[in-house]
Amino acid sequence: AFDGVWIDFKPDFTYTYGTNGKVEGSGKYSYHFDRSELLMVDNISGSKPQEWQVKSAGDAMVLIGTSLYGDNAIQMKLKRVPDSIQQQ
C-alpha cells in the first residue's frame, strides 16, 4: 500500500515527499529537541500543519501523530536509505 512512498528531510529544514521517483510536494520542518517533536508545514496553501512525536530506532524513525492538528490516529515507520529515489 505504501511501497515507494518517501520523505526526504534536508539539512536546511526543508523536506520533499513523493511516490517512487515523483516529487509530489514539499515544505518546511522544525524539530523541538527537548520534546522530541517534529512540526511539518507543507508548501501547499491551505494544508494543515502536522506535528509528530519522534522515536528513534537506529536506521529507522517512528512518527506518532499528536492531537494538536488531529494526527493522533496516525503512526508511521520511516527507514533510512542511502540514496534518494526522487527524480532530479
Side-chain angles (χ1 to χ4, degrees):
F2 293 103
D3 285 344
V5 175
W6 53 267
I7 303 173
D8 186 6
F9 292 100
K10 301 175 187 328
D12 65 355
F13 300 101
T14 62
Y15 65 90
T16 53
Y17 59 90
T19 304
N20 298 315
K22 182 180 177 193
V23 175
E24 297 174 351
S26 62
K28 295 181 181 177
Y29 73 90
S30 63
Y31 184 75
H32 194 289
F33 286 94
D34 293 339
R35 295 192 311 251
S36 295
E37 288 179 346
L38 175 70
L39 177 66
M40 299 172 65
V41 180
D42 201 289
N43 286 338
I44 297 174
S45 180
S47 292
K48 73 174 187 60
Q50 297 176 317
E51 185 181 70
W52 307 93
Q53 279 285 178
V54 178
K55 306 287 183 191
S56 179
D59 278 346
M61 176 170 65
V62 176
L63 300 182
I64 303 164
T66 70
S67 60
L68 183 62
Y69 299 108
D71 298 310
N72 46 312
I74 303 169
Q75 292 186 19
M76 66 180 101
K77 181 179 180 181
L78 307 175
K79 298 178 190 175
R80 182 189 314 257
V81 295
D83 297 313
S84 175
I85 63 170
Q86 78 183 45
Q87 296 170 348
Q88 299 299 323

